[in-house]
Amino acid sequence: MRDYVFPGGTAVVTGAASGIGEALAHGLARRGAHLVLLDRDADRLDAVVAAIRTAHPDRRIETHLVDLADADATDRVAAAVRAAHPRIRLLVNNAGVALGGRFDQVTLDEFLWVVDINFRAVVRLTHALLPALKAEPGAHLVNISSLFGLIAPAGQAAYSASKFAVRGFTEALRHELVDDGVGVTSVHPGGIRTRIAASARVGSGVPVAEYEAGRKQFEKLLSIDPAKAAEVILRGVERRRGRVLIGWSAKLPDLLARLAPASYGKVLALGMRPPRAAAPAPTGAVTTGSGGPA
């Protein structure tokens, strides 16, 4: 498959108002792409668009406000994007949310909220926009999984379940779409310095003191600049890489899980000594689609 060509193509990015999504929007604009940006935070999204238009006045930029937890709203936005853009060169499913707490400390509604945004919205948008990708020669699909789509530590049942699902979905699509000439990349960021930990929901059964201790511990791991992460992702897209791991905080746990798939949890516990309820996952961008704080 030939290298991906950025200039002149239309790129759709979810969760574009902050974090990795914002950095991807800037990186794509610098590379000559036209943008369709989705988020639920109107003020932050407007600021991103204003900055890009100042730097790149010739880029076409379209925005959509959407709560990705709302399936009907997601479907409506997807249909509108496809109608306006029958040919899309790049789709980046970046939006995501986190939930702190063990499985027995969260409600079923809280658990499914994470799954709805982190996985089901990815499936909905990809299904709706795949015909537009297949209609554009040299198109590419990027789904942002996580470090916790490679390992599943205690306290991350909802988040890991959703991100492992994204990983499996993406790997299957990579095999299915190769004959259509559509590249597919699964991205696994490590400790990216975004707002996801600060803005995550807390399980209803998690004691506040316990959660805060875990959150502060995980925030220490968030050391990678989102702009650096975006550049790694875009280089991976250009080279048509099937999987992108960002930072040693993703690469080392991935190696550990490969070497000790049934017992790496003991090593994680020794190395991190987390409290009983783990804090939000140290990865990814804050969602445009959540019903919670952004």
Side-chain angles (χ1 to χ4, degrees):
M1 193 176 293
R2 295 181 178 179
D3 285 355
Y4 181 85
V5 177
F6 292 96
T10 296
V12 179
V13 182
T14 70
S18 64
I20 295 175
E22 177 182 0
L24 284 169
H26 282 279
L28 287 164
R30 284 194 302 271
R31 287 166 169 80
H34 303 296
L35 303 172
V36 178
L37 306 179
L38 280 62
D39 208 289
R40 68 177 292 270
D41 190 323
D43 292 339
R44 287 181 180 273
L45 189 59
D46 286 345
V48 171
V49 171
I52 294 174
R53 283 182 171 152
T54 298
H56 308 284
D58 58 332
R59 301 293 183 265
R60 295 193 300 272
I61 307 175
E62 175 184 315
T63 62
H64 294 270
L65 297 178
V66 60
D67 182 345
L68 295 181
D70 185 331
D72 291 337
T74 302
D75 288 343
R76 286 194 298 270
V77 165
V81 171
R82 183 180 172 188
H85 304 278
R87 293 164 66 118
I88 294 171
R89 195 171 298 172
L90 178 65
L91 169 60
V92 183
N93 286 303
N94 163 75
V97 292
L99 173 68
R102 300 191 320 270
F103 185 63
D104 61 359
Q105 293 178 316
V106 306
T107 67
L108 185 59
D109 284 343
E110 289 168 340
F111 189 101
L112 294 178
W113 170 76
V114 175
V115 173
D116 283 343
I117 295 168
N118 290 3
F119 180 56
R120 288 181 179 170
V122 171
V123 172
R124 286 181 178 279
L125 288 168
T126 303
H127 193 270
L129 299 179
L130 187 55
L133 288 169
K134 293 170 73 172
E136 174 74 2
H140 202 92
L141 168 67
V142 176
N143 290 332
I144 307 294
S145 179
S146 171
L147 159 63
F148 290 168
L150 302 169
I151 61 171
Q156 290 298 325
Y159 191 83
S160 287
S162 68
K163 292 301 187 177
F164 268 80
V166 169
R167 173 185 170 187
F169 175 63
T170 307
E171 291 184 5
L173 288 183
R174 184 184 310 133
H175 302 145
E176 292 180 1
L177 296 175
V178 63
D179 290 338
D180 295 296
V182 178
V184 180
T185 299
S186 177
V187 178
H188 300 271
I192 312 300
R193 194 167 59 246
T194 70
R195 299 173 58 249
I196 193 166
S199 64
R201 288 187 178 183
V202 184
S204 300
V206 180
V208 174
E210 183 178 317
Y211 172 78
E212 282 299 315
R215 181 184 62 80
K216 290 178 181 178
Q217 183 180 44
F218 271 105
E219 284 188 337
K220 295 178 182 178
L221 302 177
L222 308 183
S223 60
I224 302 173
D225 190 329
K228 180 178 179 180
E231 288 301 305
V232 174
I233 294 168
L234 294 176
R235 287 198 300 270
V237 170
E238 184 176 16
R239 298 168 186 171
R240 305 287 192 171
R241 293 180 58 187
R243 191 170 78 151
V244 171
L245 275 64
I246 304 176
W248 287 108
S249 53
K251 295 174 183 177
L252 288 178
D254 177 56
L255 178 61
L256 177 62
R258 291 170 183 268
L259 294 175
S263 57
Y264 67 78
K266 297 178 182 178
V267 180
L268 293 179
L270 288 173
M272 299 182 64
R273 299 187 182 278
R276 290 191 71 200
T283 181
V286 178
T287 185
T288 151
S290 91

